[in-house]
Amino acid sequence: LLDFNQKFPVDILDRTLASVNMCIGELPQRQYLQKVLDELKQHPHSWTVVEAILELSTYDHSKYFALQILEYVIQTRWKVLPPQQRQGIKDFTVGQIIKISSDAELSEKQRTFLNKMNIILVQILKKEWPKNWPTFISDICRSCRTNQSLCQNNLIILKLLSEDVFEFSLGQMTQGKIKHLKDRSIRIMSTYHGNIAESTAYMHNFESGIKATQYEGQFIELFTSTLANLKQILPLSINIKEAYGNGTNDEQYFIQNLSLFLHTFLSEHGDVLEAKVDLHTPLLEALHYLVLISEVEETEIFKICLEYWNTLAADLYRESPLATASPILGLPTHQTPRRQLYQSVLSKVRYIMISRMAKPEEVLVVENEHGEVVREFMKDTDAINMYKSMRETLVYLTHLDYTDIERIMTEKLQNQVNGSEWSWKNLNTLCWAIGSISGAMHEEGEKRFLVAVIKDLLGLCEVKRGKDNKAIIASNIMYIVGQYPRFLRAHWKFLKTVVNKLFEFMHETHDGVQDMACDTFIKIAQKCRPHFIQVQSAEVMPFIETILNDLSSIICDLQPQQVQTFYEAVGYMISAQSDKVVMERLVEKLMSLPNSSWDTILNEASKNPDILKDSENLKTLYSILKTNARACKSIGHDFIVQLRRNYLEMLNLYSTLGENILSCVATRGELVLKEPIIKTMRAIKKEILKLISKWIERSRDPKTVCENFIPPLMNAVLGDYQRSVPAAREPEVLNSFAVIINRLEKHIMAHIPVIFTASFQCTLNMINKDFEEFPEHRVNFYLLLQAITRHTFEAYFHIPPDEFSLVINSIIWGVKHTMRNVSDTALDILQTFLENVQSQAADNAKQGFYQTFYISLLQHVFSVLTDSSHAADLNKQAKILAYMFRIVENGKVTVPLYDPNNVPNPGVDNRSYLLEFIGGLLKQAYPHLLDSQIRIIVKGLFDLNEDTNAFREHLRDFLVQIKEYCGEDVSDLFLNERETELAKAEEEKRKRQMAVPGILNPHELPDKQDNREYYALQ
């Protein structure tokens, strides 16, 4: 196979690939064969046998292997091939594509092979066009006249090219090049625009390049001629939903392509149609088709339509956000000319959106595919995303015409009540739609509308028989009331009624109803918290007192996780209380039930330690701790009254369970750690740590915490961690102390040496063997190291030199990690460490650090910089390197960074030494780089280190040079920019949403009532 001086043995290649793919023969033999195939693929002359393989092979895998060879050569060796060989590959690829695509039947039969050939041609075009292949567009235009099948494939090639060029070019194309391709593309569109799917997808990619106003005439001609042909195929009176359901695959595919065409064209050129009165009729006809297609029961097609309706509705709203007055106030509804043009269409769209509303994330009670009412356990991400898009669209549609949306919803609700449209599906979609427009209507209109809706739904719940019917109606009531906190805050009696109804639902045993009742309760508690701690009109005491008095009867039928949610909800109410004495009494009253169970078990355990080896007792303790943690989460610092009560008992329990686990491991080995009872013991230890760290994180008095709570915590936890076998060490110990250090900062400085001694060395020994074992420990280890470096850096000055070296080596080890969260954290630690050395260390310690570690750190950072698996960290790597070169450039490093005995010129300054040293490293690692290239690269490290962005781009250019030679993908070098762009786009989108009432879910809005002063004013 590797002898290119004889005729290539295609039959041997077929047998070799078959052996590898079908696992024929022993493993060593297959591994050897795979090695030979890899060598063949990478051989400089391998491309010369591609034609023979494609012509003579009878094994499909061999043909695809030949295409892999061709693609590999284009990606890695194209520029070093002689011109005649490049031309030969180009001619061969084009010939194969024309041969297959000219025959419609053959192109369909060999669709996968043809698609691969198209991709290879695009790879060639990216290297050759337009400089070395200026006639490509004219060539492809001429070939379109040959036949329809070839033209269709040409459009696919252009579509692939446009995607690569415009979407994935990473700024490597000029506007002139874009325009050059766009000018030629119009010719191919005018040559053949019968294939709606390919032509619209193709043209859509070009729209992202430059605004093609100069092509409006051609676009309008394309649109009107397509619409005229369309009306002959599909009359405007046709029921597309029914036709799609009864249609063939080709007919259904046509409807999908039609939706793509209408969406693409109207999105990009709708403004052109709006501007000319004589084009309003075709515009409305196109919209009518899109409305009909929106009714088709096919999710992917509906998504296409939904995207357009969302864009249109948002655009119409932003045109005049305050133009729609409230009909409740007796003011006329002002409609702009554009809104009047779309008014009739949008009314139909509102009806469709309401009828097809997707399920919100909050709804847990659903109808499954068998028509049964069940609880949903797995979140359907696709459905949630669909709901968010539909919700946003419906909110915009509501702002455009309040009266119309209310009319449609009221009519549909009446049809549920009178039974004419009763079904679970119809009720669900209607109620989900009603809940989704919270905040979009004027407050008075919302009040009147919501009272009528809840009244009808409660009446429906009374009338309907059967647990399934009641469960569906109950879930919809809970969803709707949970979505309207503004209304609930303004109407105490209604709020009280709703909460009491939720308490009733907490006793309903139908699957999912209790969960949803608890989830709705916590949302209401968060948004309406001050109302529960005030004495309301006609009440004798705050409602929180009533809840706490009836606590045991309210939660008696709930599961432990539901009880925990309930406690968190009540905690939010208590957190609104500003009177410290009242607050403490409420916390004590809330925690009385779990405290009673806690005291009972621990009192018995003090007499009989074996009580803590009983699985039921352990599960009860675990549940009590989880309940405490949830209450602490919502109450915050003032949970201290409860924590102080049980603090020492919790730590004693931690120590006792730790000793029990140690004893079991000593007598029965580490396999005992997998037994359920030992797992429960470890879970309790973890929950104790999480509860304490959660409270400390929310505490408001670091000094008191450090003096009174930290010493007993360290005594109980650190010794247990150090004594335990590696597999039994609790990773939460590291995370908890990281959280505590981040909160207490310099207040905990005196305790850092003890924490460091007990946790550092033993954990490092667990994680320094490889990059995989103990993943939780290694993540939390670096979080702890980061907290120490950031807040208590001075502690490093008081540890022995060998331990200090271990810290540096640990950071380097983290930087090289394959787990990105670990490498990210380690890079942050290194950056902070270097900055703190410069700002906090004494001069002699600072210079000693540079002399010992600077060159080593520089080499290691360069090592990860050039490692493709760490390409996503380029920003952080660049920041560190820029800083390291900058401190040398600015004379901050005064000691020589070299051994004078090992350099020709012992008196050389650090800058000159580094120039030569880095240049030598690069020359040794990348011998293909020219001396001039290396000189520019190294010079830029010093010239650009004041500008981090320019420095990063300089490094990226260097990486592109070495990666392109190696044939590696360079797209990962831009991962940080893509992530930043996405984050920025998300932030801008949220700002736009915040400006539109109702767009954001009310529970996503910032809660002004988290402010304690707000409660005091109340």
Side-chain angles (χ1 to χ4, degrees), residues 30 230 262 431 477 500 638 706 872 957 976:
R30 295 201 307 276
L230 181 62
L262 293 173
C431 291
I477 292 173
N500 283 326
D638 294 301
C706 212
D957 288 343
N976 273 114

Side-chain angles (χ1 to χ4, degrees), residues 278-524:
D278 59 319
L279 293 176
H280 284 186
T281 299
L283 170 61
L284 292 174
E285 289 175 347
L287 291 168
H288 179 71
Y289 277 120
L290 206 55
V291 168
L292 295 176
I293 295 171
S294 300
E295 296 176 342
V296 170
E297 296 288 344
E298 168 55 48
T299 303
E300 294 308 312
I301 291 177
F302 182 69
K303 283 181 184 177
I304 296 168
C305 301
L306 174 61
E307 186 178 353
Y308 174 74
W309 297 129
N310 180 280
T311 304
L312 176 65
D315 189 40
L316 289 171
Y317 170 79
R318 294 191 187 106
E319 178 187 55
S320 182
L322 303 176
T324 307
S326 173
I328 306 301
L329 303 177
L331 299 174
T333 301
H334 173 68
Q335 295 287 6
T336 64
R338 283 190 73 212
R339 292 184 181 183
Q340 289 176 354
L341 175 63
Y342 290 104
Q343 190 172 15
S344 60
V345 172
L346 292 183
S347 183
K348 296 173 185 175
V349 174
R350 289 185 190 96
Y351 192 90
I352 292 170
M353 290 294 153
I354 294 168
S355 301
R356 299 196 59 168
M357 195 66 195
K359 184 183 76 63
E361 189 174 6
E362 296 90 340
V363 175
L364 302 177
V365 180
V366 295
E367 180 184 0
N368 66 14
E369 64 272 18
H370 305 299
E372 302 166 332
V373 177
V374 296
R375 182 199 166 177
E376 182 183 62
F377 287 94
M378 295 292 289
K379 295 291 183 186
D380 186 343
T381 307
D382 196 45
I384 292 169
N385 290 334
M386 172 85 84
Y387 169 75
K388 288 178 180 177
S389 295
M390 294 186 73
R391 182 183 188 282
E392 185 176 301
T393 306
L394 203 55
V395 167
Y396 283 126
L397 291 170
T398 303
H399 280 296
L400 293 174
D401 194 334
Y402 301 113
T403 308
D404 193 48
I405 199 87
E406 185 178 346
R407 177 187 62 79
I408 296 171
M409 287 180 169
T410 304
E411 285 179 5
K412 291 183 75 65
L413 183 59
Q414 288 306 309
N415 290 338
Q416 291 298 308
V417 174
N418 62 35
S420 61
E421 289 184 7
W422 163 257
S423 75
W424 293 340
K425 179 178 180 295
N426 289 342
L427 181 65
N428 284 340
T429 54
L430 172 60
C431 291
W432 298 341
I434 291 171
S436 71
I437 62 170
S438 168
M441 303 174 81
H442 288 283
E443 193 164 357
E444 282 302 311
E446 182 179 274
K447 170 186 173 182
R448 181 181 48 76
F449 174 63
L450 192 60
V451 168
V453 167
I454 297 300
K455 180 181 177 182
D456 283 344
L457 287 175
L458 288 173
L460 198 60
C461 194
E462 295 296 324
V463 172
K464 291 295 179 182
R465 295 289 175 261
K467 294 192 72 172
D468 285 350
N469 285 335
K470 289 185 179 295
I472 287 285
I473 299 170
S475 76
N476 283 313
I477 292 173
M478 288 187 286
Y479 170 65
I480 289 175
V481 297
Q483 291 301 106
Y484 286 86
R486 179 175 70 175
F487 173 79
L488 296 177
R489 285 195 294 266
H491 302 87
W492 163 250
K493 288 185 178 179
F494 193 83
L495 172 58
K496 181 181 176 182
T497 302
V498 165
V499 171
N500 283 326
K501 196 68 180 177
L502 290 176
F503 292 162
E504 285 182 32
F505 290 147
M506 288 178 190
H507 300 287
E508 173 58 62
T509 56
H510 196 290
D511 212 12
V513 173
Q514 289 173 310
D515 277 325
M516 201 165 169
C518 291
D519 290 348
T520 305
F521 179 56
I522 195 172
K523 287 180 179 179
I524 291 175

Side-chain angles (χ1 to χ4, degrees), residues 571-596:
Y572 284 118
M573 297 176 185
I574 293 173
S575 70
Q577 178 57 257
S578 57
D579 187 313
K580 187 176 180 181
V581 175
V582 177
M583 162 85 77
E584 290 184 357
R585 182 178 60 77
L586 292 175
V587 172
E588 289 172 355
K589 200 169 182 180
L590 173 66
M591 304 308 297
S592 60
L593 286 176
N595 283 343
S596 175

